Amino acid sequence: MLQFYFSSISIFIHQNKLNFKFYLILYWFNIKKVYCVYFMQSQKQFILNQSIILLLGFLLLQFFFPIAGTIDMILISPWITSSGIFYLKDNWYLAELSHHYLKNIIILFYAIIFFLWIASFRFSLLKKQCVNFGYFFFVSMICTITIGIFKAHSAHACPWNMTLPSSQGFIWNFSLINGHCFPGGHASSGFALITGYFVYHKKFPKYAYFSLIIGLILGFIMGWTQMMRGAHFLSHNLWTLWIILFINYIVILIIPKFNVLIKYYSSRSNKTSNINSR
């Protein structure tokens, strides 16, 4: 009975082989069509979400979290003595462990990504990740370099240079210029890891959210320790985060257009080479 059942199925498949292949191909193309439509919609939704986040973040920082404003002063006041000295400025855990060792570990991670990108041109095992490695490294470097340029030309001073002793303790000197202390440079090394969120959000959402969470945690740890030392207000570091998000946002807007240009010029070069070969 069982043998008869399987033989009947095989005869049916053999007789309807062409129809079966036709429906299978049609089903496959429908899946691809639905996936492409979903991907386009999800990518548009992703860009829209980032636009909203950037806009709300800008308004929040501009109007509710000004540099050296009330919130900054409340958050930084526990780390100042009555005479205006940041007593944790030279603390080993903050000055060495967080400011140097943690930063060097993150720099080592970026170096590994760079060498993986170079290796991807030679080893087939890494070739599929070539673009991702390159994107991660170079956009992260653009983020940190941009923060460094802004900071080098900034008029905002560091909090530890803004306190002046007085008969009643100390006062804040907000008239200092050329302070080179905005935005927060140290936190940029951690926040730049958020680039991984934009690299992997399409195909590897777990990696994307891992990069986002790790980048936020390390960025805020590095920024908070610098605030405790008196090197930055918290708003300095929040602007660092916003600028890094904005740079990644610009990149994801530019890359599709860049890919279109590459395909256009490559197709033109192929046509020209075909004409010359004739």
Side-chain angles (χ1 to χ4, degrees), residues 31-226:
I31 289 177
K32 290 186 71 176
K33 184 177 179 181
V34 170
Y35 176 78
C36 290
V37 170
Y38 172 76
F39 174 76
M40 290 175 64
Q41 289 177 347
S42 62
Q43 182 68 358
K44 289 180 179 179
Q45 186 63 44
F46 179 80
I47 293 174
L48 178 61
N49 292 342
Q50 303 310 310
S51 304
I52 294 171
I53 290 171
L54 284 169
L55 179 60
L56 292 177
F58 178 82
L59 295 175
L60 184 66
L61 290 172
Q62 190 69 26
F63 296 106
F64 299 101
F65 213 125
I67 298 170
T70 304
I71 299 177
D72 271 343
M73 291 301 171
I74 292 172
L75 293 175
I76 207 169
S77 60
W79 319 112
I80 314 174
T81 64
S82 58
S83 58
I85 297 173
F86 286 89
Y87 59 91
L88 294 175
K89 181 179 180 180
D90 298 318
N91 180 274
W92 185 88
Y93 294 100
L94 304 183
E96 294 296 327
L97 185 62
S98 175
H99 192 255
H100 290 115
Y101 291 108
L102 181 57
K103 184 177 181 179
N104 289 338
I105 291 171
I106 295 174
I107 290 173
L108 177 63
F109 172 78
Y110 288 130
I112 292 171
I113 295 295
F114 176 72
F115 285 116
L116 286 173
W117 175 68
I118 293 176
S120 66
F121 290 98
R122 183 174 179 84
F123 300 102
S124 57
L125 185 64
L126 300 173
K127 192 166 290 185
K128 291 183 179 181
Q129 296 297 321
C130 178
V131 174
N132 291 338
F133 289 145
Y135 187 133
F136 202 140
F137 176 78
F138 288 106
V139 176
S140 297
M141 293 304 101
I142 290 171
C143 290
T144 54
I145 291 170
T146 302
I147 296 297
I149 293 171
F150 284 164
K151 186 179 177 182
H153 296 85
S154 170
H156 294 281
C158 300
W160 59 32
N161 293 326
M162 296 172 62
T163 57
L164 296 175
S166 67
S167 58
Q168 297 180 347
F170 73 95
I171 59 172
W172 287 96
N173 181 13
F174 296 105
S175 62
L176 293 176
I177 59 174
N178 298 323
H180 310 300
C181 208
F182 173 85
H186 184 57
S188 66
S189 300
F191 283 136
L193 293 171
I194 292 173
T195 301
Y197 173 69
F198 293 86
V199 173
Y200 296 113
H201 78 275
K202 294 179 183 178
K203 296 183 179 179
F204 304 101
K206 289 183 179 179
Y207 295 163
Y209 284 110
F210 179 78
S211 299
L212 177 63
I213 293 169
I214 290 296
L216 289 174
I217 290 174
L218 290 177
F220 276 112
I221 287 174
M222 298 168 81
W224 192 269
T225 56
Q226 285 297 86

